Amino acid sequence: MSNKNIFEFLEKYFSEHRNYAAGPVPNTEIEMSEQKLQVKFSESYKKFLSLYGGALLEESSIYGLRKEEMMGDDNWSVTQLTLYYRNQKYPGTENWYIVSDDFSGNPFGVDPDGKVWLSDHDTGEIIQVAETFEDFLYKLYTDTLWEDD
């Protein structure tokens, strides 16, 4: 598998793990979230939302507009979490939408150019982790997020 066919893989993965994907989201709802956050989601993130809504990929939550059943009561909405991190003034998040976290409370966000970043609240660093949302999904699944390219 390569990051080029991540959606083919996800289709197979979620057909085998049905309760790991939350469910499709209509384009009107996706557009409302973009307007509320004043961002433009990448085409691949919109595709992810329209197909899966939100999901658990391996052990990582991918935030969206639907709650996957294994996610906790909170921390699942891209809209709510993006606003939360912006209000907390995490470095870099003012122009991002938040798609996941690193289990330590540090958000992964997508910038206006589609690159995926981590905002580390302990160090104040902003670290690029993937060139695209597809690359991010691929790296999460293959456990290569922290390997050099």
Side-chain angles (χ1 to χ4, degrees):
M1 178 186 68
S2 74
N3 63 338
K4 300 298 181 208
N5 60 3
I6 191 67
F7 282 98
E8 290 174 26
F9 165 76
L10 290 176
E11 192 62 36
K12 182 175 188 263
Y13 181 81
F14 292 130
S15 71
E16 295 170 1
H17 302 91
R18 292 192 190 282
N19 62 331
Y20 286 16
V25 174
N27 286 337
T28 54
E29 193 173 333
I30 294 169
E31 290 166 3
M32 286 182 359
S33 180
E34 287 179 311
Q35 289 172 2
K36 185 168 188 170
L37 296 175
Q38 299 180 351
V39 298
K40 188 80 173 143
F41 294 147
S42 70
E43 290 304 313
S44 59
Y45 186 65
K46 285 192 235 185
K47 182 176 180 178
F48 174 84
L49 291 174
S50 69
L51 293 171
Y52 309 114
L56 187 66
L57 181 59
E58 294 302 313
E59 296 180 6
S60 296
S61 292
I62 309 300
Y63 306 135
L65 296 171
R66 295 285 182 276
K67 183 180 177 187
E68 179 274 323
E69 70 181 51
M70 294 173 65
M71 290 179 182
D73 291 334
D74 299 322
N75 301 332
W76 61 269
S77 165
V78 63
T79 308
Q80 292 172 339
L81 287 167
T82 298
L83 294 173
Y84 169 79
Y85 283 110
R86 286 178 183 173
N87 288 337
Q88 296 297 311
K89 303 203 183 313
Y90 271 61
T93 61
E94 58 276 352
N95 296 318
W96 299 352
Y97 52 96
I98 305 303
V99 295
S100 192
D101 67 56
D102 70 350
F103 305 111
S104 296
N106 298 313
F108 289 109
V110 181
D111 75 9
D113 295 324
K115 293 179 171 69
V116 183
W117 300 83
L118 175 78
S119 178
D120 187 320
H121 71 276
D122 291 325
T123 66
E125 286 184 281
I126 301 171
I127 305 158
Q128 184 178 342
V129 296
E131 283 292 319
T132 65
F133 180 68
E134 294 109 317
D135 290 339
F136 178 68
L137 294 175
Y138 174 80
K139 288 178 175 190
L140 285 178
Y141 177 72
T142 59
D143 198 22
T144 58
L145 192 61
W146 301 112
E147 293 180 9
D148 292 329
D149 290 326

